[in-house]
Amino acid sequence: MHQLTTPREEQPLPTSVTSTQDAALAIEILQLRARNEQLERALTSRAVIDQARGMVMALAPCSSDRAWGLLVEVSQHCNVKLRDVAAALVATTNDETLPAPVRRELSRALRRLHIADQR
């Protein structure tokens, strides 16, 4: 397969700016690279969050939206980013221990969900 562009490491920025157009182009390249890195991080985080959502749906049979809300609730009560809560939960599939604050909040949230379902 023919590659249209070379990897970022092989595309050096101009070392000298010869015109206003060159400066604008260099700024645009830097902005696009930063945006690309943000999107890559978001995609990676999203996949882990979706895996954790599936785990919650299996633990407490509930909808995808309720599982999302539960993860958000745990995140807020623990003051931990959602992606970090999700990553910790997914890591338990590799025999890693869930951090105590997250474990406590997850347990509480699952209990509240169970009680709400019984009503």
Side-chain angles (χ1 to χ4, degrees):
M1 183 164 143
H2 181 69
Q3 190 174 3
L4 296 176
T5 59
T6 58
R8 176 179 13 212
E9 296 78 32
E10 296 175 19
Q11 293 179 351
L13 287 175
T15 54
S16 64
V17 177
T18 57
S19 71
T20 305
Q21 269 186 324
D22 289 344
L25 182 59
I27 290 170
E28 184 178 3
I29 289 169
L30 289 173
Q31 290 171 338
L32 288 171
R33 285 180 179 173
R35 184 170 182 189
N36 187 43
E37 288 172 8
Q38 288 173 339
L39 289 171
E40 285 174 359
R41 282 193 305 271
L43 283 173
T44 301
S45 293
R46 182 61 186 223
V48 171
I49 292 169
D50 285 344
Q51 289 172 358
R53 186 189 288 191
M55 292 174 71
V56 169
M57 291 168 65
L59 285 171
C62 64
S63 69
S64 179
D65 288 341
R66 287 189 92 177
W68 171 266
L70 187 138
L71 288 170
V72 168
E73 187 180 323
V74 170
S75 167
Q76 290 173 344
H77 286 166
C78 292
N79 197 27
V80 175
K81 290 186 181 292
L82 178 62
R83 68 175 175 252
D84 295 336
V85 168
L89 185 57
V90 170
T92 63
T93 63
N94 293 323
D95 295 328
E96 290 190 31
T97 304
L98 200 57
V102 174
R103 187 176 61 248
R104 269 192 308 274
E105 276 308 316
L106 181 61
S107 179
R108 289 175 185 159
L110 287 168
R111 213 170 327 160
R112 285 190 296 270
L113 182 66
H114 180 70
I115 290 169
D117 283 347
Q118 287 181 341
R119 292 181 183 174

